[in-house]
Amino acid sequence: MYLSARKRVSLFLAVFIGVPLLLDLLFPIPDPATSGEGFTQVVTDRNNQILRAFPDKNGVWRYPTSPDKVSTDYLNTLLSYEDRWFYYHPGINPISLVRAAIQNAQCDCIVSGGSTITMQVARRLSPHDRSIGGKFKQMLRALQLEWHYSKEEILTLYLNYAPMGGVIEGVAAASQMYLGKSADQLSLAESALLAVLPQAPSRLRPDRHPQRARAARDKVLQRLFLQGQITQEQLHYAQLENIIALPLSTPQLAPLLSRQLVDNYPNDAVIKTTLDGELQHELQALLAEEIQRFPEHQSAAILLVDNHERSVKAYLGSADFTDNSRFAHVDMIQATRSPGSTLKPFIYGLAMEQGLIHSASLLRDVPRHLRSYQPENFAHSFSGPVDATTALRQSLNLPAVQVLEALGPASFSASLENAGTPYVVPGDGKPSLALALGGGGFSAWKLATLYSGLANGGEVQPLKLINPQAPEPEATHQDKRWLLSPEASWVTLNMLRQPRPGRIRSSAVMSSHPQMAWKTGTSYGYRDAWAVGVTPQYTMVVWFGRPDGTPSPGQYGAVTALPLLFRLQQRLAPSPDWPPQPADVTTKTICWPTGKLASETPAGHCHRAHTATLIRDQIPPTLRDMDADGTAPGILTIRLDSHGQMLGMDCTDLNGETGYETRTLAVWPGNLEPWIAPHLRRSEQLPVGRSSCQPPSLATAPLRIIGIEDGQTLMPASFKKTQELLLNTLGGMGNKALYLNGVYHSDADDSGLFRIKLTEPGEQEVIVIDSQGTLARVLFRFELKPVQANAH
């Protein structure tokens, strides 16, 4: 029957369209993703270096890749060896099939399958037996693939699913696991090896059969040379390369973070982080070495942040991921722990922001007797009058509590919460003065967020872990949170980055690291040791401790975490210089005890001059704690009669006298007087009082300690190693308490005496405080007599 041209075209179109539709209906193309053959989830650094990988649910290692992420040597080798006409045939190459059939018939064996890359993908997606019927099904599937996919998509399927031996599939996984490199770094010889491997993946595995693999590789290289794809010189050098395959393993960089990200992004085949893989590897080795100095069950953590990007460059959640005796799988970056003294800089910064103090404000390092909260200093001593900068550098507890009391614990807690880093308050959840010394919960992640904000002028933003594929929009208003002004941030960092007196090796350390501001911290009971460092480029947080919360006696921030912090800084590239001093920050001289400018203070009122860094020229007076007589530190006004005797302000017994004068005195806080020169004490500055109308403050004799003299040295008998000491007091009012070497010892007994036992030789400090807050202080030495050698 004759068909018109029109009908022939219609029939052809029907067959052309109908056959593929029928194949799709009867034999739909399997989707590897829906059949459980998903990709290995890969976590990479910012440069696409693999940090850690997780196999698919069938245990197969298959790293996602595409032609643009593979070495051009590999692509050229693959196409030249496997399918030179890949971009021209419709999925089947008849010439190759005929040649393969002839070769197989001549030897009555299988020499070649004549399969194109498309046909190999078809066999991988739809396995079949090696028969004529199986080959026919493979060809139909290949045609079907060509109808549905572009050449690049088919090549991508091959690159991802080609069998590479055992549970390894795809060139990216093979390159990483056998050769320890990404597929875009393959050499010519390595490309030839991986191109031929799918021909016999079990027989040619380079980690098990290197000689077979080498022979097969050289065969591929010889064919490339005969085809004119490579030169004689390239062939020679490629064949000289040895087959060196790594034992099968996967990278374990940032393992805890990688697990967390995989749980958070279960549908992402590749999770690209902001980490620097080389730096992560170096710091993991450094920490694994460092932790060997500590007993088992001790762990450590490091978090490194780029301040400019607000991005995490290194994340070490535990000391050694391979050591379960050190709680290897507990992430201490996110764990809530006591921050110790690491939040003190923000207490001082907020107090300066609100105009309560400046960098040289007079603070009190003295016992807080009869107060609801009575902490001790870490060094078990008191410094008396101390400026804010020294108090922060030496991490003195009592001045920090004094500043927090003026600032308000609730205000401090609210400021941290507004910055997006809430302080977890235990118990009833009400902030208290204990927050100054770590009496709550914080994490290394929050600390890095806050200190990075300090380096960015007080603007706190969330830290970044994921490297976006596209440029990020500017941070929204909700993301930008101001904890401090740029001026307060600059002054706070300036206080932290200056040399610190009284620290072991501090001068040498700071001279070699002039660009870093740092702070240490130790939680109650030696449970957490912290060191935080800030440079213009980086914020670094180091933590040591036991993840189960048990104490580590003798391990504290300055001796445990701080040395590692400086080793860490030495591994980093030098930072740029700090930004210049802001215009609204000035340096001026102020006077103690009033706290006023020296230029506005009479000479007789300026007992000590200090250089203060001021914000917006704010000059707050000395913080006021009421003394025993109801007055506060500052200027005291007195009246003198014509004989120079002092009159009480309410004195009426003047016998008609009208000639009296007023005089002003600069007076120190009463509880600081034991630490200042005698002639500056209030009792020494005040003239003799008129007996008939003496001020009430002179009615009581000054408090004194009896039984030991200032500067005295005590020695027990040669056969004793302790010394009993009986002390009494004169003056003062009410009940009295004694502090020995910075620690509360006892109240006076019924007879008003104190009994103490000295056991440790060296400098000793005894402080007695009465019910009105008046202090008396004695410094002396306790020494043991040297043992005399027997004479011969």
Side-chain angles (χ1 to χ4, degrees):
M1 181 177 64
Y2 176 75
L3 295 176
S4 65
R6 190 174 201 177
K7 289 184 178 179
R8 286 199 301 272
V9 170
S10 299
L11 180 61
F12 174 79
L13 290 175
V15 172
F16 184 79
I17 297 174
V19 171
L21 290 177
L22 182 62
L23 283 175
D24 287 348
L25 181 63
L26 298 177
F27 306 104
I29 299 176
D31 183 355
T34 59
S35 63
E37 296 187 79
F39 287 111
T40 298
Q41 272 196 285
V42 178
V43 181
T44 74
D45 76 343
R46 60 178 55 216
N47 300 313
N48 298 313
Q49 177 183 345
I50 294 176
L51 301 175
R52 193 180 180 190
F54 299 83
D56 71 3
K57 64 182 183 181
N58 295 322
V60 175
W61 295 95
R62 186 185 302 108
Y63 296 176
T65 191
S66 56
D68 61 313
K69 297 178 181 178
V70 175
S71 163
T72 54
D73 277 338
Y74 175 79
L75 291 177
N76 292 336
T77 301
L78 174 68
L79 295 176
S80 298
Y81 180 71
E82 286 287 356
D83 194 350
R84 296 179 65 187
W85 306 103
F86 172 71
Y87 285 103
Y88 306 101
H89 61 64
I92 301 171
N93 187 339
I95 297 176
S96 296
L97 289 174
V98 170
R99 183 178 65 248
I102 294 173
Q103 291 174 340
N104 295 341
Q106 287 176 343
C107 73
D108 195 23
C109 63
I110 298 177
V111 176
S112 173
S115 296
T116 63
I117 285 179
T118 309
M119 291 174 65
Q120 293 182 52
V121 172
R123 183 173 67 238
R124 172 63 183 81
L125 296 180
S126 302
H128 60 79
D129 54 21
R130 299 179 73 104
S131 63
I132 295 177
K135 180 63 73 172
F136 182 70
K137 287 174 58 179
Q138 182 185 10
M139 289 189 291
L140 286 179
R141 182 68 82 191
L143 293 173
Q144 193 178 16
L145 287 171
E146 295 278 351
W147 288 328
H148 283 278
Y149 298 111
S150 67
K151 289 292 186 179
E152 291 300 309
E153 290 172 328
I154 293 171
L155 181 58
T156 298
L157 285 170
Y158 180 88
L159 295 178
N160 282 295
Y161 289 92
M164 293 290 184
V167 292
I168 303 174
E169 291 188 358
V171 64
S175 178
Q176 186 66 52
M177 300 188 75
Y178 288 133
L179 306 175
K181 59 174 62 177
S182 60
D184 61 352
Q185 298 175 337
L186 292 171
S187 67
L188 175 61
E190 293 166 339
S191 297
L193 171 66
L194 297 188
V196 74
L197 186 55
Q199 295 292 323
S202 296
R203 192 173 65 85
L204 299 179
R205 276 184 59 165
D207 59 327
R208 294 181 178 177
H209 310 291
Q211 296 305 320
R212 294 179 192 169
R214 181 168 192 155
R217 179 204 68 182
D218 290 349
K219 177 182 176 183
V220 173
L221 291 170
Q222 186 67 33
R223 181 180 295 185
L224 292 177
F225 171 70
L226 295 176
Q227 292 175 351
Q229 300 291 328
I230 60 175
T231 65
Q232 179 72 49
E233 183 180 23
Q234 287 176 309
L235 172 66
H236 173 70
Y237 283 111
Q239 288 179 332
L240 287 178
E241 280 192 30
N242 290 324
I243 299 292
I244 302 176
L246 302 173
L248 291 188
S249 63
T250 57
Q252 293 289 350
L253 295 176
L256 296 177
L257 174 63
S258 298
R259 168 55 67 187
Q260 172 189 328
L261 292 176
V262 164
D263 291 341
N264 293 342
Y265 301 93
N267 299 320
D268 290 5
V270 178
I271 304 172
K272 188 174 183 178
T273 71
T274 62
L275 270 61
D276 182 322
E278 297 300 325
L279 186 58
Q280 178 76 22
H281 181 272
E282 185 175 357
L283 296 188
Q284 283 188 191
L286 172 64
L287 188 55
E289 171 193 338
E290 186 77 11
I291 200 63
Q292 298 307 313
R293 300 191 298 108
F294 299 90
E296 64 177 11
H297 306 307
Q298 190 91 7
S299 187
I302 295 176
L303 185 62
L304 176 64
V305 174
D306 185 303
N307 292 327
H308 299 320
E309 299 176 356
R310 312 289 184 117
S311 63
V312 177
K313 298 292 289 292
Y315 187 112
L316 287 76
S318 65
D320 187 347
F321 188 67
T322 65
D323 189 349
N324 287 329
S325 70
R326 298 189 183 277
F327 302 92
H329 298 275
V330 180
D331 186 353
M332 298 309 299
I333 296 296
Q334 303 295 340
T336 298
R337 308 288 291 197
S338 165
S341 298
T342 55
L343 292 179
K344 285 178 181 175
F346 302 97
I347 295 174
Y348 286 88
L350 287 166
M352 289 189 292
E353 185 77 80
Q354 296 184 20
L356 298 173
I357 62 171
H358 51 62
S359 67
S361 286
L362 170 59
L363 302 177
R364 311 181 195 192
D365 186 24
V366 297
R368 289 174 52 85
H369 189 56
L370 300 180
R371 304 289 185 93
S372 60
Y373 183 53
Q374 302 182 46
E376 302 169 359
N377 277 328
F378 188 79
H380 297 310
S381 63
F382 298 106
S383 302
V386 62
D387 65 89
T389 299
T390 301
L392 178 57
R393 292 178 192 161
Q394 296 186 359
S395 200
L396 300 177
N397 290 340
L398 294 157
V401 171
Q402 182 191 4
V403 175
L404 180 58
E405 193 168 35
L407 178 66
S411 174
F412 176 59
S413 179
S415 296
L416 294 182
E417 186 165 2
N418 291 337
T421 54
Y423 205 150
V424 180
V425 180
D428 59 8
K430 294 181 179 179
S432 69
L433 295 177
L435 298 186
L437 310 183
F442 223 64
S443 66
W445 183 267
K446 291 180 182 178
L447 278 177
T449 303
L450 280 183
Y451 276 88
S452 182
L454 200 61
N456 281 282
E459 181 188 311
V460 180
Q461 291 186 23
L463 302 182
K464 301 172 188 173
L465 268 173
I466 301 301
N467 205 338
Q469 302 302 314
E472 288 185 293
E474 290 190 14
T476 63
H477 178 71
Q478 290 82 359
D479 290 333
K480 291 184 177 182
R481 305 185 183 213
W482 290 93
L483 178 65
L484 297 171
S485 67
E487 293 79 14
S489 298
W490 190 93
V491 174
T492 302
L493 283 173
N494 191 55
M495 293 165 69
L496 289 172
R497 72 175 188 253
Q498 296 179 12
R500 306 177 183 198
R503 293 280 192 183
I504 298 175
R505 304 185 305 276
S506 64
S507 298
V509 166
M510 289 307 295
S511 63
S512 62
H513 303 281
Q515 292 295 329
M516 185 162 70
W518 51 272
K519 182 73 187 74
T520 60
T522 307
S523 65
Y524 178 77
Y526 299 98
R527 288 172 170 81
D528 306 273
W530 298 93
V532 185
V534 179
T535 69
Q537 182 71 33
Y538 299 108
T539 292
M540 297 155 275
V541 178
V542 174
W543 172 89
F544 275 87
R546 292 171 59 117
D548 60 2
T550 53
S552 302
Q555 304 298 334
Y556 54 94
V559 301
T560 304
L562 187 61
L564 180 59
L565 177 69
F566 282 110
R567 288 187 67 186
L568 172 59
Q569 191 208 2
Q570 289 174 336
R571 303 294 181 101
L572 302 175
S575 284
D577 290 335
W578 288 97
Q581 180 172 309
D584 281 343
V585 173
T586 55
T587 302
K588 296 184 179 179
T589 302
I590 60 94
C591 287
W592 284 2
T594 64
K596 295 182 179 180
L597 281 175
S599 60
E600 300 174 0
T601 303
H605 292 174
C606 192
H607 296 173
R608 292 188 192 175
H610 286 266
T611 301
T613 307
L614 307 177
I615 299 171
R616 296 181 290 277
D617 284 330
Q618 297 178 108
I619 309 174
T622 299
L623 288 178
R624 301 166 68 89
D625 286 348
M626 298 303 290
D627 292 329
D629 60 0
T631 64
I635 301 300
L636 175 64
T637 301
I638 61 174
R639 292 195 305 172
L640 301 178
D641 64 13
S642 57
H643 302 289
Q645 294 180 322
M646 186 168 58
L647 304 172
M649 297 302 291
D650 57 349
C651 181
T652 59
D653 184 20
L654 298 178
N655 296 327
E657 295 181 40
T658 58
Y660 64 88
E661 64 173 318
T662 59
R663 183 184 299 176
T664 57
L665 304 173
V667 294
W668 290 71
N671 51 10
L672 289 180
E673 290 204 336
W675 283 268
I676 63 177
H679 72 279
L680 298 179
R681 296 171 185 171
R682 187 177 310 189
S683 60
E684 295 296 323
Q685 291 193 73
L686 293 175
V688 175
R690 185 166 175 168
S691 59
S692 60
C693 50
Q694 183 173 319
S697 60
L698 298 182
T700 303
L703 181 63
R704 291 177 54 200
I705 299 173
I706 306 299
I708 189 70
E709 296 294 331
D710 212 42
Q712 186 176 347
T713 297
L714 297 181
M715 284 189 182
S718 58
F719 58 88
K720 289 186 177 181
K721 295 187 179 298
T722 64
Q723 175 77 46
E724 299 283 347
L725 199 58
L726 184 64
L727 300 180
N728 199 352
T729 59
L730 288 178
M733 295 181 64
N735 296 327
K736 301 178 180 69
L738 182 141
Y739 288 78
L740 176 62
N741 296 325
V743 180
Y744 170 78
H745 182 274
S746 62
D747 285 355
D749 61 19
D750 293 339
S751 59
L753 300 176
F754 297 96
R755 290 177 170 82
I756 61 177
K757 178 185 286 188
L758 303 176
T759 58
E760 295 293 332
E763 294 287 344
Q764 310 290 323
E765 179 189 55
V766 169
I767 292 176
V768 174
I769 184 170
D770 69 10
S771 58
Q772 301 300 309
T774 305
L775 289 170
R777 175 174 177 256
V778 174
L779 288 176
F780 62 97
R781 286 191 63 82
F782 172 55
E783 294 184 356
L784 300 178
K785 288 185 177 181
V787 178
Q788 299 293 330
N790 294 327
H792 294 282

